[in-house]
Amino acid sequence: MLENAGVSVTRHGAGLDEHGLIDALRGLPGSEPVFLGIRSKTRVTAAVMEAVPRLAGVGAFCIGTDQIDLEAARARGVAAFNAPFSSTRSVAELVTGLIIMLARRIFPRDRAAQRGLWDKSAKGNYEVRGKTLGIVGYGHIGSQVSVLAESLGMHVRFVDVVPKLPMGNANVVDGLEQLLAQSDFVSLHVPRSESTRGMIGAAEIAKMKEGAYLINYSRGDVVDLGALRSAIESGQIAGAAVDVYPTEPASAGDAFSSALQGLDNVILTPHIGGSTAEAQANIGREVGQSLVSFLVDGGTTGSVSLPEVDVPQRKQHSRLLNIHRNVPGVLSKINHAIAESGVNIVGQRLATSDDIGVLVVELAGDENSETVTALSDAIASLDTTVRHRLL
Ligand code: NAI
């Protein structure tokens, strides 16, 4: 996608540290803006942005953006993008499958069969149809799980901190306590935040139905695993499926230990909820699309660092992308410069938030015309301009 858009792409096989990244970016030929694509391990710090003023955009080819200093990116007008929906379906599918695996105690029986034991019994085995699934966090993943679970005949209840449209016949519940008390299965789909850290501890687990199941495919610090272990050992919780842990090994093949190891109906997976070929392809597509749109059309839709300007595809006209400090008089200065130049404004789109503004101005006239280039240079040199491009 990038090459088709005329971008010259340089690849590095592994993550780079701060110095390596600065050297690699500084070593790129030419003086055009530079766009950086990273995975989760490469950190884009304020020092990197300071050292490479050409850096105009960062595409995080992953879900999270913790590895980018977003405040520094915003202050310097660097547009950062990620792929927030890329693995939604993968996580939702797996969670739905796990609900059945837990209810039928498949994993303990598989382990027995693998060891050569015929553990045939109907005891403690249930259908999921007619059971209640409680979803904590009804965002992208939570709402997809809701749809899939209903298709299995489950009753879905959910809680969220913001009002959400219930999918199908799902019902919002008045608070976590009620949800825990009503649900046969509780599945967590909240982000990592102050409000979700330690959200499910001993007190919350005690409020769950006797014999209920807990699924955590969200973030590792949401559940107190020691408390969960005690509840499983006492039989209050019938089983759990967990993909995320308070501390996780750095690389594939590393040793792993967890408070939940050695328990019967517990399924532990190595943070692979979103690890599918489809999710990887989606990541490439979503981030690639965002970078191309920013590069070619000046759009910042989906940016996690800058206000979002949604722009149509550029056709005949030239366009200015001006990222500026949002201070009184900034727009009148820009419009004054345009008026002075005699170039007609075909369209203008602006998004601001607090201290920063993104303005895309479509101008009648070719981007190579002397008038348009001179106008662009004049706007670029305004003291309010943080970053500027003639597209
Ligand atoms: P999302 O942002 O679409 O949804 C999260 C929802 O949780 C939002 O609706 C939000 O309002 C709600 N929420 C926030 N704080 C809450 C609170 N204290 N109580 C109740 N609800 C609260 O996020 P998405 O894409 O659905 O992802 C959910 C989680 O799944 C995230 O933690 C994400 O990191 C994790 N995830 C895990 C993967 C894995 O491989 N296991 C892969 C992808 C995402």
Side-chain angles (χ1 to χ4, degrees), residues 104-164:
R104 298 292 293 272
R105 299 178 45 79
I106 293 300
F107 278 61
R109 261 96 65 86
D110 167 67
R111 284 174 212 138
Q114 301 280 358
R115 288 195 312 270
L117 184 73
W118 192 245
D119 182 14
K120 181 173 164 67
S121 142
K123 191 164 175 267
N125 286 246
Y126 304 97
E127 289 184 353
V128 300
R129 180 171 54 160
K131 304 296 184 298
T132 299
L133 168 66
I135 298 175
V136 184
Y138 205 69
H140 296 117
I141 298 173
S143 55
Q144 282 283 314
V145 171
S146 171
V147 171
L148 296 176
E150 279 206 331
S151 72
L152 292 170
M154 299 189 79
H155 304 300
V156 177
R157 310 268 181 275
F158 69 89
V159 288
D160 201 299
V161 281
V162 294
K164 294 280 171 163

XYZ file of all heavy atoms in Angstrom, residues 104-164:
478
model
N -17.777 -27.563 29.394
C -17.708 -29.007 29.157
C -16.452 -29.640 29.749
O -16.181 -30.808 29.525
C -17.765 -29.265 27.645
C -19.049 -28.783 26.998
C -20.251 -29.588 27.450
N -20.164 -30.955 26.976
C -20.626 -31.357 25.784
N -21.226 -30.499 25.006
N -20.491 -32.603 25.419
N -15.681 -28.837 30.470
C -14.459 -29.329 31.131
C -13.558 -30.069 30.123
O -13.030 -31.146 30.386
C -14.821 -30.256 32.315
C -15.645 -29.557 33.389
C -16.037 -30.486 34.524
N -14.907 -31.306 34.957
C -13.934 -30.890 35.748
N -13.945 -29.650 36.215
N -12.951 -31.699 36.076
N -13.419 -29.490 28.956
C -12.676 -30.152 27.880
C -11.186 -30.289 28.194
O -10.593 -31.338 27.949
C -12.877 -29.395 26.547
C -14.327 -29.504 26.076
C -11.921 -29.900 25.452
C -14.811 -30.925 25.829
N -10.599 -29.218 28.755
C -9.138 -29.261 28.924
C -8.677 -30.308 29.936
O -7.722 -31.046 29.655
C -8.580 -27.855 29.222
C -8.395 -27.070 27.950
C -9.466 -26.776 27.131
C -7.135 -26.647 27.543
C -9.308 -26.087 25.934
C -6.959 -25.954 26.347
C -8.047 -25.676 25.546
N -9.327 -30.435 31.126
C -8.893 -31.495 32.041
C -9.027 -32.885 31.401
O -8.187 -33.759 31.590
C -9.832 -31.370 33.240
C -10.624 -30.145 33.048
C -10.325 -29.561 31.713
N -10.092 -33.073 30.603
C -10.296 -34.383 29.974
C -9.308 -34.625 28.852
O -8.870 -35.740 28.614
C -11.732 -34.561 29.514
C -12.540 -35.374 30.527
C -13.305 -34.540 31.484
N -14.303 -33.820 30.769
C -15.512 -34.328 30.485
N -15.853 -35.525 30.885
N -16.375 -33.610 29.846
N -8.958 -33.537 28.162
C -7.922 -33.678 27.134
C -6.604 -34.091 27.797
O -5.934 -35.012 27.339
C -7.729 -32.358 26.376
C -6.466 -32.373 25.535
O -6.412 -33.148 24.561
O -5.506 -31.655 25.875
N -6.262 -33.367 28.911
C -4.993 -33.699 29.581
C -5.004 -35.162 30.034
O -4.005 -35.870 29.906
C -4.758 -32.776 30.786
C -4.312 -31.388 30.355
C -4.234 -30.431 31.551
N -4.564 -29.078 31.133
C -5.320 -28.220 31.806
N -5.845 -28.564 32.978
N -5.556 -27.022 31.332
N -6.160 -35.618 30.559
C -6.261 -37.016 31.003
C -6.080 -37.962 29.811
O -5.315 -38.933 29.877
C -7.611 -37.252 31.676
N -6.779 -37.654 28.721
C -6.693 -38.528 27.542
C -5.265 -38.570 27.000
O -4.769 -39.625 26.601
C -7.666 -38.036 26.458
N -4.609 -37.415 27.045
C -3.218 -37.373 26.571
C -2.321 -38.255 27.444
O -1.352 -38.833 26.960
C -2.662 -35.932 26.607
C -3.428 -34.920 25.776
C -3.085 -34.962 24.292
O -2.235 -35.728 23.875
N -3.794 -34.177 23.504
N -2.687 -38.305 28.747
C -1.894 -39.141 29.676
C -2.300 -40.610 29.602
O -1.738 -41.453 30.294
C -2.115 -38.676 31.130
C -1.476 -37.346 31.498
C -1.430 -37.181 33.020
N -2.701 -37.471 33.686
C -3.659 -36.575 33.920
N -3.509 -35.329 33.532
N -4.767 -36.932 34.543
N -3.362 -40.912 28.847
C -3.792 -42.303 28.718
C -4.934 -42.657 29.648
O -5.144 -43.829 29.970
N -5.708 -41.646 30.113
C -6.819 -41.919 31.038
C -8.159 -41.595 30.382
O -8.328 -40.532 29.794
C -6.630 -41.057 32.301
C -7.637 -41.285 33.416
C -7.387 -42.627 34.115
C -7.552 -40.138 34.423
N -9.121 -42.509 30.493
C -10.458 -42.372 29.886
C -11.394 -41.730 30.915
O -12.075 -42.408 31.659
C -10.938 -43.768 29.493
C -12.151 -43.826 28.608
C -13.375 -44.350 28.936
C -12.246 -43.375 27.265
N -14.231 -44.257 27.887
C -13.560 -43.662 26.831
C -11.357 -42.769 26.378
C -14.007 -43.355 25.545
C -11.806 -42.471 25.112
C -13.114 -42.760 24.708
N -11.457 -40.388 30.926
C -12.207 -39.673 31.966
C -13.623 -39.368 31.478
O -14.007 -38.216 31.336
C -11.430 -38.382 32.314
C -12.088 -37.580 33.419
O -12.976 -38.120 34.106
O -11.702 -36.408 33.585
N -14.401 -40.404 31.226
C -15.741 -40.198 30.641
C -16.765 -39.984 31.744
O -16.947 -40.861 32.595
C -16.109 -41.407 29.790
C -17.469 -41.294 29.118
C -17.688 -42.460 28.161
C -19.145 -42.608 27.762
N -19.628 -41.504 26.950
N -17.405 -38.807 31.744
C -18.422 -38.527 32.738
C -19.216 -37.304 32.317
O -18.723 -36.462 31.572
C -17.742 -38.279 34.093
O -18.388 -37.269 34.799
N -20.466 -37.201 32.785
C -21.288 -36.022 32.467
C -21.303 -35.057 33.648
O -21.877 -33.966 33.564
C -22.710 -36.467 32.136
N -20.666 -35.447 34.729
C -20.716 -34.640 35.962
C -20.024 -33.276 35.756
O -18.918 -33.217 35.250
C -19.993 -35.410 37.067
C -20.202 -34.829 38.432
C -19.809 -35.834 39.511
C -19.914 -35.180 40.865
N -18.666 -34.604 41.321
N -20.722 -32.219 36.153
C -20.137 -30.873 36.034
C -20.031 -30.381 34.606
O -19.289 -29.442 34.327
N -20.768 -31.034 33.695
C -20.745 -30.613 32.272
C -22.078 -29.969 31.920
O -23.129 -30.513 32.235
C -20.576 -31.827 31.363
C -19.167 -32.368 31.405
O -18.441 -32.318 30.432
N -18.769 -32.879 32.566
N -22.013 -28.845 31.243
C -23.246 -28.125 30.927
C -23.255 -27.635 29.492
O -22.202 -27.396 28.909
C -23.387 -26.901 31.851
C -23.350 -27.267 33.303
C -22.158 -27.158 34.023
C -24.488 -27.754 33.951
C -22.104 -27.511 35.357
C -24.438 -28.120 35.295
C -23.243 -27.993 35.986
O -23.181 -28.364 37.298
N -24.472 -27.462 28.962
C -24.619 -26.706 27.719
C -24.542 -25.230 28.078
O -24.837 -24.840 29.208
C -25.997 -26.968 27.081
C -26.136 -28.350 26.496
C -27.476 -28.543 25.780
O -28.347 -27.633 25.850
O -27.654 -29.604 25.159
N -24.203 -24.386 27.105
C -24.169 -22.952 27.409
C -25.491 -22.271 27.053
O -25.780 -21.172 27.531
C -22.978 -22.227 26.717
C -21.669 -22.834 27.172
C -23.105 -22.247 25.205
N -26.282 -22.931 26.229
C -27.589 -22.361 25.860
C -28.410 -22.100 27.132
O -28.474 -22.955 28.025
C -28.326 -23.354 24.971
C -29.678 -22.871 24.536
C -30.257 -23.767 23.518
N -30.293 -25.172 23.952
C -31.081 -26.083 23.405
N -31.881 -25.749 22.427
N -31.055 -27.325 23.818
N -28.972 -20.903 27.221
C -29.804 -20.575 28.382
C -29.005 -20.057 29.580
O -29.595 -19.586 30.550
N -27.690 -20.163 29.527
C -26.877 -19.645 30.641
C -26.655 -18.141 30.445
O -26.816 -17.612 29.347
C -25.523 -20.356 30.706
C -25.617 -21.860 30.811
C -26.270 -22.315 32.101
C -26.271 -23.838 32.236
N -27.018 -24.544 31.182
N -26.252 -17.477 31.534
C -26.061 -16.025 31.464
C -24.583 -15.669 31.389
O -23.781 -16.148 32.196
C -26.706 -15.354 32.696
O -28.101 -15.642 32.664
C -26.502 -13.839 32.677
N -24.266 -14.852 30.390
C -22.901 -14.343 30.250
C -22.886 -12.880 30.684
O -23.661 -12.063 30.164
C -22.450 -14.442 28.781
C -21.161 -13.692 28.430
C -19.953 -14.302 29.149
C -20.923 -13.684 26.920
N -22.007 -12.550 31.610
C -21.857 -11.158 32.054
C -20.589 -10.578 31.449
O -19.505 -11.139 31.614
N -20.717 -9.488 30.712
C -19.563 -8.874 30.051
C -19.211 -7.571 30.764
O -20.065 -6.695 30.934
C -19.870 -8.613 28.558
C -20.138 -9.947 27.844
C -18.731 -7.859 27.884
C -20.578 -9.790 26.390
N -17.957 -7.456 31.172
C -17.498 -6.221 31.820
C -16.673 -5.461 30.786
O -15.604 -5.909 30.384
C -16.641 -6.536 33.072
C -16.264 -5.237 33.783
C -17.377 -7.479 34.007
N -17.181 -4.328 30.323
C -16.518 -3.552 29.256
C -17.145 -3.926 27.923
O -16.765 -4.915 27.301
N -18.134 -3.121 27.490
C -18.896 -3.448 26.281
C -18.388 -2.607 25.115
O -19.113 -1.858 24.477
C -20.383 -3.173 26.555
C -21.357 -3.951 25.707
C -21.508 -5.319 25.868
C -22.155 -3.306 24.773
C -22.423 -6.032 25.111
C -23.083 -4.000 24.012
C -23.203 -5.367 24.185
O -24.114 -6.077 23.443
N -17.065 -2.731 24.853
C -16.465 -1.994 23.742
C -16.454 -2.855 22.495
O -17.383 -3.636 22.254
N -15.382 -2.728 21.717
C -15.299 -3.486 20.464
C -15.399 -4.986 20.723
O -16.218 -5.671 20.114
C -13.979 -3.175 19.758
C -13.870 -1.746 19.349
N -12.911 -0.894 19.841
C -14.629 -1.022 18.500
C -13.087 0.297 19.305
N -14.110 0.251 18.492
N -14.538 -5.486 21.612
C -14.512 -6.934 21.829
C -15.747 -7.389 22.600
O -16.423 -8.349 22.200
C -13.217 -7.355 22.575
C -11.987 -6.994 21.725
C -13.236 -8.849 22.895
C -10.652 -7.212 22.413
N -16.043 -6.686 23.694
C -17.195 -7.076 24.517
C -18.468 -7.189 23.697
O -19.223 -8.161 23.830
N -18.714 -6.222 22.807
C -19.969 -6.251 22.045
C -19.963 -7.360 20.984
O -21.003 -7.926 20.663
C -20.271 -4.887 21.426
O -19.193 -4.462 20.645
N -18.775 -7.695 20.458
C -18.692 -8.824 19.510
C -18.940 -10.150 20.236
O -19.637 -11.025 19.725
C -17.297 -8.880 18.874
C -17.074 -7.866 17.783
C -17.750 -8.268 16.478
O -17.657 -9.404 16.044
N -18.445 -7.337 15.884
N -18.371 -10.292 21.434
C -18.611 -11.507 22.224
C -20.111 -11.627 22.492
O -20.694 -12.715 22.425
C -17.813 -11.467 23.560
C -18.227 -12.608 24.475
C -16.312 -11.518 23.299
N -20.730 -10.485 22.761
C -22.169 -10.450 23.040
C -22.956 -11.060 21.874
O -23.841 -11.905 22.060
C -22.559 -8.984 23.257
O -23.938 -8.799 23.343
N -22.618 -10.669 20.649
C -23.332 -11.152 19.461
C -23.122 -12.658 19.302
O -24.074 -13.425 19.084
C -22.832 -10.406 18.196
C -23.392 -11.029 16.936
C -23.186 -8.925 18.273
N -21.861 -13.096 19.443
C -21.566 -14.523 19.238
C -22.219 -15.374 20.330
O -22.747 -16.451 20.059
C -20.050 -14.740 19.208
C -19.315 -14.061 18.036
C -17.815 -14.254 18.136
C -19.815 -14.587 16.698
N -22.190 -14.883 21.568
C -22.760 -15.660 22.675
C -24.273 -15.785 22.522
O -24.856 -16.839 22.794
C -22.408 -14.997 24.010
N -24.911 -14.714 22.061
C -26.365 -14.801 21.849
C -26.699 -15.816 20.773
O -27.723 -16.490 20.839
C -26.935 -13.432 21.474
C -27.158 -12.553 22.675
C -28.237 -11.505 22.457
O -28.441 -11.077 21.311
O -28.869 -11.124 23.454
N -25.812 -15.924 19.783
C -26.102 -16.889 18.718
C -26.013 -18.326 19.249
O -26.518 -19.246 18.634
C -25.166 -16.682 17.525
O -23.875 -17.113 17.861
N -25.366 -18.506 20.413
C -25.336 -19.830 21.048
C -26.517 -20.014 22.005
O -26.604 -21.020 22.705
C -24.035 -19.993 21.846
C -22.739 -20.063 21.043
C -21.543 -19.986 21.971
C -22.687 -21.345 20.234
N -27.364 -19.001 22.098
C -28.541 -19.100 22.977
C -28.276 -18.617 24.389
O -29.055 -18.899 25.302
N -27.180 -17.879 24.583
C -26.903 -17.379 25.936
C -27.663 -16.070 26.185
O -27.979 -15.347 25.244
C -25.399 -17.121 26.114
C -24.559 -18.374 25.941
S -22.831 -18.123 26.404
C -22.929 -18.233 28.199
N -27.938 -15.788 27.459
C -28.493 -14.488 27.847
C -27.308 -13.590 28.172
O -26.449 -13.985 28.952
C -29.370 -14.613 29.091
C -30.469 -15.603 28.920
N -31.441 -15.474 27.949
C -30.750 -16.760 29.577
C -32.265 -16.501 28.021
N -31.861 -17.302 28.997
N -27.270 -12.409 27.580
C -26.107 -11.545 27.793
C -26.484 -10.323 28.629
O -27.483 -9.650 28.373
C -25.496 -11.096 26.444
C -24.332 -10.137 26.666
C -25.037 -12.308 25.636
N -25.663 -10.085 29.665
C -25.781 -8.868 30.486
C -24.440 -8.164 30.416
O -23.412 -8.825 30.266
C -26.029 -9.223 31.958
C -27.146 -10.206 32.178
C -28.447 -9.468 32.417
N -29.531 -10.396 32.664
C -30.255 -10.986 31.727
N -29.984 -10.780 30.455
N -31.240 -11.793 32.042
N -24.437 -6.844 30.554
C -23.141 -6.167 30.538
C -23.121 -4.912 31.400
O -24.170 -4.371 31.755
C -22.734 -5.815 29.093
C -23.562 -4.741 28.442
C -23.221 -3.404 28.567
C -24.682 -5.072 27.691
C -23.975 -2.415 27.959
C -25.444 -4.081 27.080
C -25.091 -2.742 27.216
N -21.912 -4.499 31.763
C -21.714 -3.193 32.408
C -20.617 -2.457 31.652
O -19.724 -3.073 31.073
C -21.290 -3.296 33.895
C -22.425 -3.751 34.769
C -20.064 -4.184 34.080
N -20.720 -1.145 31.650
C -19.685 -0.303 31.047
C -19.739 1.022 31.785
O -20.744 1.341 32.420
C -19.951 -0.114 29.531
C -18.683 0.304 28.779
O -18.132 1.365 29.099
O -18.243 -0.443 27.887
N -18.656 1.798 31.676
C -18.663 3.099 32.348
C -19.323 4.180 31.506
O -19.617 5.259 31.996
C -17.239 3.556 32.750
C -16.786 2.858 34.009
C -16.244 3.356 31.619
N -19.517 3.892 30.205
C -20.246 4.856 29.372
C -21.464 4.159 28.778
O -21.452 2.931 28.610
C -19.353 5.435 28.238
C -18.230 6.268 28.796
C -18.791 4.358 27.333
N -22.533 4.912 28.479
C -23.724 4.272 27.922
C -23.402 3.609 26.578
O -22.720 4.186 25.745
C -24.694 5.441 27.721
C -24.147 6.567 28.537
C -22.677 6.362 28.636
N -23.867 2.367 26.404
C -23.585 1.618 25.167
C -24.880 1.054 24.625
O -25.744 0.620 25.397
C -22.634 0.441 25.466
C -21.250 0.858 25.899
C -20.422 1.223 24.700
C -19.115 1.848 25.124
N -18.127 1.880 24.092
